[in-house]
Amino acid sequence: MRYDILSGETIIGFTEFESGDPPMGVVTGEFFPSESYASNYDYEGLRALVSGTSELIAFESIVIEDYSEEFGEEVVEITALVVSAEEYEKHFNHHYEAYRKQFE
């Protein structure tokens, strides 16, 4: 699933939050910047919504880490802390299921 990342009302990129740590309430992924993204800007108050919808996901925080300058190519990652276990399970149930299967 794709998630749009917003700064204010502007979509600055998207991610698929392809990794997660359910016990910690964290999701991570590669960040794909839009033309509105500025690598040297200190973003605060970022929000995320399910792409193609107006459904916001409740996050405690979202952090973009841009390593492009260090690596000489576009390398941008995103980490988000989900506000509750219920919200995590609602939007990232596939990470819950993968976590549970480790213990079967």
Side-chain angles (χ1 to χ4, degrees), residues 9-84:
E9 298 301 315
T10 303
I11 295 175
I12 61 167
F14 72 92
T15 184
E16 293 182 355
F17 286 125
E18 52 270 10
S19 298
D21 185 340
M24 296 296 291
V26 173
V27 289
T28 61
E30 187 173 356
F31 179 72
F32 300 93
S34 72
E35 291 184 12
S36 300
Y37 172 75
S39 62
N40 58 351
Y41 185 77
D42 187 19
Y43 289 99
E44 293 184 21
L46 294 174
R47 299 177 302 139
L49 54 84
V50 177
S51 283
T53 73
S54 58
E55 183 178 5
L56 282 172
I57 302 168
F59 286 111
E60 185 72 31
S61 66
I62 299 174
V63 176
I64 296 173
E65 297 169 296
D66 193 328
Y67 301 107
S68 301
E69 191 172 308
E70 290 89 342
F71 287 103
E73 61 183 83
E74 190 171 86
V75 178
V76 188
E77 297 177 351
I78 189 165
T79 303
L81 177 60
V82 183
V83 75
S84 69

Side-chain angles (χ1 to χ4, degrees), residues 84-103:
S84 69
E86 294 79 20
E87 189 77 355
Y88 198 103
E89 191 165 11
K90 175 181 176 184
H91 292 287
F92 304 105
N93 193 47
H94 56 290
H95 292 315
Y96 261 129
E97 293 304 317
Y99 177 77
R100 287 182 191 135
K101 286 182 183 179
Q102 295 180 81
F103 303 104

